[in-house]
Amino acid sequence: MIRREKLFAPLPTLLTLGNAACGFGAITFAARWSGSDSATSLFVASCLIYLAMVFDALDGSAARWAKQTSEFGAQLDSLCDAVSFGAAPAFLMLQFSHSRDYHPRLLWLIAILYVFGAVLRLARFNVETDEDDSHAFFSGLPSPAAAGTVASFPIMVFGLKRLEDTGKDLWWERFADWLDPVTVTMLPWITLAVAGLMVSRIRYVHLF
């Protein structure tokens, strides 16, 4: 039994660190924003946020399976979540909405409010949750769900641009031409909304 614990002790930590690596990678790709290649860079950044969600979903299960749950793991998980589901989505929104007619200070304010919402949500989760909690419900929108909401918009636009590049006069291409700017315009306000939901007391079912 002791050998098994030593063998699998690093596994939950590596999964959690994989979460942080994806978050940092998302920021890196979002920072590559340029006029010609912005859709692809932001698409990759969004996919990395979703990959971070996979690591975040697996590390707790791996820790319980290996009987290696600890306070250290819980704190490390929250620190990595702050990167992947706090800073990365906020920066992604800034880059994604850069081409709209929003004042840069307004976008920055929305981004920082999102970061505040994420870190407050994570801190509250650590304080209010004990080891025996069933996690059947969450108080406030979980930060991975909020990050996934923000990251879904660049993925949507990337798909729309692929439709526009087909060169065929199809009705869904005309729909894509209309939806593309609407999506970019909506994201800052969606980001602000999910920031508020994270610090709310609305109950959400734990689906994983």
Side-chain angles (χ1 to χ4, degrees):
M1 189 66 172
I2 296 177
R3 292 184 61 187
R4 181 187 175 192
E5 291 180 354
K6 289 183 178 179
L7 178 63
F8 288 101
L11 179 60
T13 300
L14 289 175
L15 289 171
T16 305
L17 292 176
N19 171 5
C22 290
F24 180 73
I27 295 173
T28 302
F29 273 94
R32 294 181 180 180
W33 183 90
S34 62
S36 60
D37 197 36
S38 60
T40 301
S41 297
L42 298 182
F43 171 76
V44 174
S46 299
C47 289
L48 285 171
I49 290 176
Y50 275 96
L51 184 58
M53 293 169 64
V54 174
F55 281 114
D56 183 61
L58 293 177
D59 60 0
S61 299
R64 288 186 290 273
W65 176 74
K67 298 182 179 179
Q68 293 293 331
T69 56
S70 65
E71 183 65 21
F72 169 81
Q75 298 303 322
L76 180 64
D77 182 72
S78 290
L79 290 172
C80 294
D81 286 355
V83 175
S84 299
F85 310 134
F91 186 69
L92 179 65
M93 184 277 295
L94 282 176
Q95 297 294 82
F96 183 78
S97 302
H98 184 270
S99 61
R100 294 293 95 187
D101 295 329
Y102 288 116
H103 196 287
R105 291 183 182 177
L106 174 62
L107 292 178
W108 186 89
L109 176 62
I110 293 174
I112 198 64
L113 287 175
Y114 176 89
V115 173
F116 286 167
V119 295
L120 288 171
R121 174 67 179 80
L122 292 166
R124 188 176 72 188
F125 178 81
N126 286 348
V127 171
E128 295 182 350
T129 306
D130 54 38
E131 189 174 344
D132 297 328
D133 199 312
S134 64
H135 299 298
F137 294 93
F138 289 122
S139 177
L141 182 68
S143 58
T149 301
V150 175
S152 66
F153 280 72
I155 292 176
M156 184 190 307
V157 168
F158 181 81
L160 292 174
K161 287 188 178 297
R162 299 287 76 77
L163 287 177
E164 295 172 3
D165 292 341
T166 58
K168 298 179 180 179
D169 186 19
L170 302 174
W171 69 269
W172 56 78
E173 290 186 33
R174 294 192 294 273
F175 175 72
D177 289 337
W178 170 82
L179 188 60
D180 189 348
V182 171
T183 302
V184 178
T185 303
M186 287 176 54
L187 182 57
W189 307 113
I190 297 295
T191 303
L192 184 61
V194 295
L197 289 175
M198 280 191 286
V199 296
S200 71
R201 286 292 180 177
I202 300 174
R203 297 183 73 191
Y204 294 86
V205 178
H206 189 184
L207 297 178
F208 185 77

